Amino acid sequence: MWQPNTLLTGTPGVGKTTLDKELASRSRLKYINVGDLAKEGQLYDGYDEEYDCPILDEDRVVDALENQMKEGGVIVDYHGCDFFPECWCHIVFVLRTDNSILYKRFETSGYSEKKLQDNIQCEIFQVLYEEAMASYRKDIVHQLPSNNPEEQENNINRILKWIEQWIKDNSS
Ligand code: DAT
């Protein structure tokens, strides 16, 4: 059975990983965290001194993902989305969290003050939503609120329903 690929994006801390793991455990979808994939394969191209983190080698990440994405049924999790081939993703969900809630989540994360402020700004200026809208057909990009466990549960149900419907619509 052919299954769609789902891209889950948003500012760090909005709940992508938490949601993805739950989605993967309740469906037959494969879950790929691009940050973990890059770390395992050392898919980096230098180091960003300002942000104190390795720079993703986007071409090698795309190569590493290619076979699985062509098979379908993948949920990709990353705080960026403009370098994936557009045809890979059938739907894009952008998780959104209110700044005050996000701030509280970061306070307990051990992030430096700079990283914390950068991520809050990223959410305020809806950087990931704009990136998704610029990179994909607008009608496949959806924002989902992710402020509390109830919203997370709603998001899981909404995404699973969407996938179920997609499979029905695309099975011959
Ligand atoms: P991300 O993968 O987007 O960086 P995460 O899944 O690691 O985010 O979540 C960051 C923290 O926030 C983690 O401690 C779990 C918590 N969290 C995530 N989604 C939540 C939600 N909808 N309600 C309450 N807490 C949430």
Side-chain angles (χ1 to χ4, degrees):
M1 179 182 35
W2 173 245
Q3 295 201 65
N5 291 324
T6 308
L7 173 62
L8 204 58
T9 189
T11 304
V14 291
K16 299 180 295 297
T17 310
T18 313
L19 182 71
D20 278 343
K21 286 190 174 152
E22 199 56 37
L23 269 174
S25 78
R26 295 198 210 173
S27 68
R28 294 188 13 234
L29 297 164
K30 286 163 283 176
Y31 161 61
I32 299 178
N33 180 309
V34 171
D36 291 348
L37 180 86
K39 199 171 178 185
E40 278 159 24
Q42 288 293 298
L43 306 176
Y44 299 130
D45 182 18
Y47 197 83
D48 188 323
E49 300 293 343
E50 187 188 353
Y51 290 98
D52 192 24
C53 63
I55 299 165
L56 199 70
D57 186 332
E58 297 174 348
D59 291 341
R60 281 165 69 213
V61 167
V62 167
D63 287 347
L65 285 171
E66 189 161 20
N67 287 343
Q68 297 195 76
M69 297 303 280
K70 282 185 177 160
E71 274 173 24
V74 177
I75 313 172
V76 180
D77 165 345
Y78 194 56
H79 56 269
C81 61
D82 59 355
F83 60 92
F84 300 122
E86 192 184 349
C87 60
W88 276 4
C89 299
H90 301 95
I91 192 150
V92 180
F93 292 105
V94 186
L95 296 190
R96 303 298 308 272
T97 301
D98 291 347
N99 301 321
S100 54
I101 294 174
L102 197 58
Y103 195 90
K104 284 199 190 102
R105 285 186 200 163
F106 287 145
E107 271 185 331
T108 53
S109 69
Y111 277 1
S112 67
E113 184 62 21
K114 170 159 173 52
K115 200 163 178 185
L116 191 151
Q117 291 300 342
D118 285 342
N119 284 333
I120 295 288
Q121 295 269 318
C122 176
E123 188 59 9
I124 291 173
F125 291 113
Q126 48 185 26
V127 172
L128 271 309
Y129 177 62
E130 302 281 341
E131 185 174 318
M133 291 291 273
S135 308
Y136 295 91
R137 258 185 22 229
K138 292 185 175 42
D139 60 312
I140 69 161
V141 178
H142 303 273
Q143 298 193 79
L144 297 174
S146 176
N147 296 298
N148 52 51
E150 292 74 35
E151 287 181 348
Q152 180 181 293
E153 189 60 28
N154 288 343
N155 293 340
I156 292 167
N157 292 330
R158 186 168 163 199
I159 294 171
L160 289 177
K161 267 206 188 105
W162 184 89
I163 291 169
E164 197 182 314
Q165 189 59 45
W166 190 95
I167 292 170
K168 268 189 206 154
D169 292 346
N170 289 274
S171 61
S172 48

